[in-house]
Amino acid sequence: MTDFADLLDGYQRFRTSEYRRHRDRWAELSEGQNPRVMVIACSDSRVDPAQIFDTTPGEIFVVRNVANLVPPFELGGGRHGVSAALEFAVTQLEVPEIVVMGHGACGGVHAALSRRFEHAPPGAGGFIAHWVDMLDEARDRIVAEHGTGEEAIRALELETVRVSLANLRTFPCIPEREAAGTLKLHGAYFAIADGVLHVLGDDGEFAPA
């Protein structure tokens, strides 16, 4: 089991090996970043985009949250963390591509499907419930078709990607850049059990990469 002391040990290894080995790259990054892809992924500890896509520092701009969800464009007094990161990546870094990556065995999807936190207060699951209720419409449709078993879980895990892609397009800066050909959206799904990455095709279906 890794604890903070293990993380500090890992830092010492990084500082004396990887950092020294790529010193020129780190010096370059200290002057700024120019990632070509934004990745929106789940916070789950098993699905690190940098590891799955075998990238080096500075290559991808990553946002991770419960169930890799993008909220729809909305105004109000809330703290819009995902929206702020999206705005920065698209309008300031001008990334030409965005990838939404779902994954297998997603706890956020299980919470959405079971509605286990539906009546919980904030601090005891209420924040989770209010976050994953973005999947309510998809959940009801999938439950009606598949029930609540393994088939439904997989279907809703895939649907998180489609929901987030649809919500991305509610931000004015996204469709205008898509129309201009300066931004492209992608969907992906990583199956933890077998390590296979699936990519969302133009037909709306996922297929192994």
Side-chain angles (χ1 to χ4, degrees):
M1 183 68 71
T2 300
D3 56 22
F4 186 60
D6 294 323
L7 295 182
L8 292 179
D9 288 341
Y11 160 71
Q12 295 297 337
R13 293 191 299 273
F14 160 77
R15 189 72 175 83
T16 58
S17 59
E18 290 299 310
Y19 186 80
R20 288 183 180 178
R21 187 178 303 119
H22 301 290
R23 187 68 187 90
D24 290 343
R25 175 60 172 162
W26 285 106
E28 178 185 347
L29 290 172
S30 71
E31 301 298 323
Q33 60 174 322
N34 185 33
R36 303 291 294 166
V37 181
M38 177 184 192
V39 179
I40 300 167
C42 186
S43 298
D44 193 301
S45 62
R46 299 165 293 180
V47 285
D48 179 4
Q51 184 177 36
I52 292 169
F53 294 115
D54 192 25
T55 62
T56 58
E59 289 189 310
I60 57 176
F61 185 84
V62 180
V63 172
R64 300 178 70 177
N65 61 51
V66 174
N68 43 270
L69 290 171
V70 175
F73 178 82
E74 57 187 0
L75 303 175
R79 303 289 187 182
H80 304 293
V82 175
S83 302
L86 174 66
E87 184 177 66
F88 183 74
V90 173
T91 69
Q92 304 304 305
L93 296 177
E94 297 185 326
V95 295
E97 297 184 275
I98 298 175
V99 178
V100 177
M101 186 181 73
H103 72 95
C106 180
V109 167
H110 279 262
L113 195 63
S114 66
R115 290 181 170 160
R116 59 177 296 201
F117 299 118
E118 188 171 19
H119 301 296
F127 288 128
I128 299 170
H130 184 51
W131 181 252
V132 299
D133 67 13
M134 282 187 272
L135 296 171
D136 278 356
E137 184 179 334
R139 177 212 182 268
D140 293 344
R141 175 167 32 85
I142 286 169
V143 168
E145 183 177 354
H146 300 293
T148 57
E150 291 299 318
E151 189 175 1
I153 293 171
R154 174 65 176 260
L156 191 54
E157 287 171 347
L158 296 175
E159 200 63 18
T160 65
V161 178
R162 298 187 182 98
V163 168
S164 287
L165 289 171
N167 286 347
L168 277 171
R169 293 187 168 104
T170 67
F171 287 78
C173 63
I174 301 294
E176 65 184 26
R177 283 170 170 76
E178 283 189 292
T182 58
L183 178 64
K184 188 169 183 178
L185 306 187
H186 306 277
Y189 173 87
F190 181 74
I192 291 177
D194 57 17
V196 175
L197 183 76
H198 298 73
V199 175
L200 183 63
D202 293 337
D203 60 357
E205 299 300 323
F206 287 85

